[in-house]
Amino acid sequence: MTGLSLLNIPPTSAAMDSIWCDETFLNASLEIERSWVMAAIAEGFAPDSLEAELDAAIERVKANPAPIFAGTLSAGRPVAPLVDELLENASQELQQVLHLGLTTQDIIDGALTLLRGHAIRVILADAEKCRANLQDLAARHSTTVMLGRTNLQAASPITFGLFVAEGCGELQRNCDRIRQRHTAAQTVTLSGAVGLSAPFAEKSDAVRHRAAADLGLSYDPKMRSAPRDHIIDLLFAVGLLAKGLGRMARSISHLQSDATGELAEARSGGSSAMPHKQNPRLAERIIMLSGQVDGILLNLMSATQTLHQRSGDSWMAEWVGMAAMFQCVHAQILSFLTLTETLVVEQQRMRDNLNHHGLAVLSDRLFTALSAAVGRHQAKPIVKAALAERISIDRLIAFLEHHVSPQQARTIAAACSLEAIIESAQNQQACMIEDLEAAALG
């Protein structure tokens, strides 16, 4: 057990712990070295017999990685001691091709790209579970009317289904953005110290293409050093996902306050001092993790400031930020998943809050409908008079008939009815869900 586990510090998950660890990184580095040799064999630069010798060396290193850890203390990077261990008692043929023309960054970048791919798949899979929960929640509450709120003030009613559907759409867009950025960042260089290595003469790029394909990655000959912009772009997309979850959690947290009371966490935290109190612990954790992402993104920006062809300080900042980003965001996604599974919707409280504000929350709809009938200048004082006289919904038609025709009064009142609001919200929600389903099929 590491960190302050009772306080969930550092924020992480079992899935990310298994990806961002020494064993997984070492295995990925060995996979890069093996693909390079196998590509060289396939292109005729080494005998087929080297495969068995290399695999035996790899198993020996996996069984006893201690020399690599010891060598890293002096080398500062694990790649040189890794190569030394693989070549211990190696044949001349293996010595002539293993790591030939490569540099430390080729291996570390390639290994981190493989780890990043695993992490992205985990994050997207669990984010999809969150999205499905939100879509189901939206469908179940498509007619649950609640106050809209702008600047923390009561506004025109919406439905809770629409409120959730908007968050669902944002989550889908953020996931789509990650997929796009991930594809662009799934590259490997294998081009040596300054990107001009040609260990296999004119067939060097053929070896690179073959090795990249074996790893499930791509190779672009125009990119002779690792594309830092693609990597940072991807990590910022992951960060944007976290900010979106934090935004939703912040609204959900507010809706759990005593003054609002429209939502509750079924598995929420209690208080040591007030036995009745129910704290929004999941929402708080999601918001906190969203804030942590800000610092990680700032750190990652420094990783873009490389000097010449490569520089170790910015490179290391990228390593730290990458691992921290995925650990933080996945921990946040898991908390959000639990939140969506256990959220309690207090429908009666939503309706009570709406009724408490009366006609005031319909003022924008009333003003719009009246403006269409008599113009803005005349509509404004009529709306103010209705609010000043505290006209109730059931008295609205009679009030309006003093200012417009009976037919206009009925038309305006119908536009302000909850039925009209629900229909409008349902139509908007249906469009959102249709877009989500189309994106999923696409």
Side-chain angles (χ1 to χ4, degrees):
M1 184 178 297
T2 59
L4 287 169
S5 60
L6 289 174
L7 298 179
N8 291 308
I9 301 173
T12 186
S13 66
M16 289 299 136
D17 284 344
S18 68
I19 292 172
W20 301 102
C21 67
D22 289 328
E23 181 181 4
T24 308
F25 173 76
L26 179 60
N27 289 342
S29 299
L30 290 168
E31 190 176 350
I32 303 291
E33 295 284 6
R34 187 183 190 280
S35 293
W36 184 246
V37 173
M38 295 306 298
I41 292 173
E43 293 293 334
F45 290 100
D48 293 345
S49 59
L50 283 191
E51 181 177 4
E53 181 184 358
L54 177 59
D55 286 344
I58 288 173
E59 291 305 314
R60 175 172 49 78
V61 168
K62 286 182 178 180
N64 180 28
I68 297 172
F69 285 89
T72 302
L73 293 177
S74 58
R77 304 279 191 272
V79 176
L82 171 65
V83 173
D84 289 344
E85 286 301 307
L86 285 173
L87 291 179
E88 184 178 0
N89 300 319
S91 66
Q92 184 174 356
E93 288 88 351
L94 185 57
Q95 294 181 47
Q96 290 173 329
V97 70
L98 180 74
H99 202 72
L100 184 67
L102 302 182
T103 190
T104 293
Q105 186 161 352
D106 291 327
I107 305 304
I108 292 181
D109 275 349
L112 291 177
T113 298
L114 295 178
L115 268 58
R116 194 170 61 240
H118 295 320
I120 288 291
R121 285 187 286 275
V122 170
I123 278 181
L124 290 177
D126 286 334
E128 170 57 26
K129 296 176 186 176
C130 294
R131 190 207 60 77
N133 284 352
L134 289 174
Q135 187 167 331
D136 178 66
L137 194 62
R140 286 190 280 116
H141 291 281
S142 62
T143 60
T144 302
V145 182
M146 65 181 293
L147 275 175
R149 292 175 172 87
T150 61
N151 300 308
L152 294 180
Q153 305 298 311
S156 182
I158 60 171
T159 63
F160 184 63
L162 180 59
F163 170 84
V164 174
E166 289 173 342
C168 185
E170 181 181 20
L171 179 56
Q172 180 67 59
R173 291 191 299 275
N174 284 329
C175 287
D176 290 343
R177 187 179 295 108
I178 289 172
R179 290 186 184 94
Q180 294 168 0
R181 305 298 192 271
H182 175 57
T183 299
Q186 285 297 91
T187 60
V188 67
T189 53
L190 307 175
S191 298
V194 295
L196 297 176
S197 172
F200 305 109
E202 71 277 359
K203 298 195 71 175
S204 295
D205 274 357
V207 174
R208 293 186 181 101
H209 278 294
R210 189 180 289 272
D214 183 58
L215 294 164
L217 305 175
S218 62
Y219 167 70
D220 184 348
K222 296 186 295 296
M223 294 182 178
R224 292 291 181 166
S225 60
R228 308 342 289 180
D229 57 323
H230 287 344
I231 296 170
I232 303 303
D233 195 23
L234 167 62
L235 296 177
F236 266 71
V238 174
L240 195 56
L241 169 63
K243 302 308 292 184
L245 295 179
R247 185 197 66 79
M248 284 186 275
R250 188 173 295 280
S251 292
I252 290 171
S253 176
H254 177 259
L255 291 173
Q256 295 183 66
S257 67
D258 285 343
T260 306
E262 297 179 2
L263 297 177
E265 295 178 12
R267 299 179 189 172
S268 188
S271 167
S272 63
M274 292 174 281
H276 70 283
K277 194 177 180 186
Q278 188 176 17
N279 296 308
R281 295 301 187 215
L282 285 169
E284 289 174 344
R285 177 170 168 78
I286 295 163
I287 296 166
M288 178 276 293
L289 291 170
S290 173
Q292 294 297 304
V293 166
D294 295 343
I296 297 171
L297 292 176
L298 183 62
N299 181 61
L300 285 169
M301 284 302 295
S302 69
T304 64
Q305 303 302 294
T306 54
L307 185 63
H308 301 305
Q309 282 65 57
R310 73 184 73 250
S311 53
D313 52 351
S314 59
W315 193 29
M316 287 187 288
E318 183 184 298
W319 306 344
V320 174
M322 188 186 305
M325 175 67 77
F326 284 111
Q327 289 168 329
C328 185
V329 173
H330 191 239
Q332 185 195 40
I333 289 172
L334 293 181
S335 292
F336 193 86
L337 182 59
T338 302
L339 180 63
T340 59
E341 292 170 344
T342 59
L343 195 64
V344 177
V345 181
E346 304 289 357
Q347 298 184 52
Q348 186 57 51
R349 184 63 179 268
M350 288 181 172
R351 183 59 71 103
D352 291 344
N353 288 342
L354 183 62
N355 292 337
H356 173 74
H357 290 278
L359 188 62
V361 297
L362 298 172
S363 62
D364 68 321
R365 297 180 73 90
L366 178 59
F367 182 53
T368 298
L370 266 171
S371 295
V374 300
R376 288 178 63 89
H377 292 310
Q378 282 188 261
K380 186 177 293 186
I382 296 174
V383 173
K384 286 184 176 181
L387 296 179
E389 296 177 29
R390 298 184 180 277
I391 300 298
S392 61
I393 301 296
D394 55 356
R395 292 173 51 214
L396 182 59
I397 293 179
F399 170 82
L400 289 172
E401 287 179 345
H402 292 290
H403 304 278
V404 296
S405 70
Q407 178 60 44
Q408 287 176 315
R410 288 191 294 272
T411 300
I412 293 169
C416 298
S417 69
L418 288 182
E419 291 77 11
I421 292 170
I422 291 174
E423 181 181 2
S424 177
Q426 284 181 315
N427 290 337
Q428 181 66 21
Q429 180 179 331
C431 290
M432 290 180 177
I433 298 303
E434 184 179 337
D435 289 345
L436 291 174
E437 291 174 346
L441 291 174

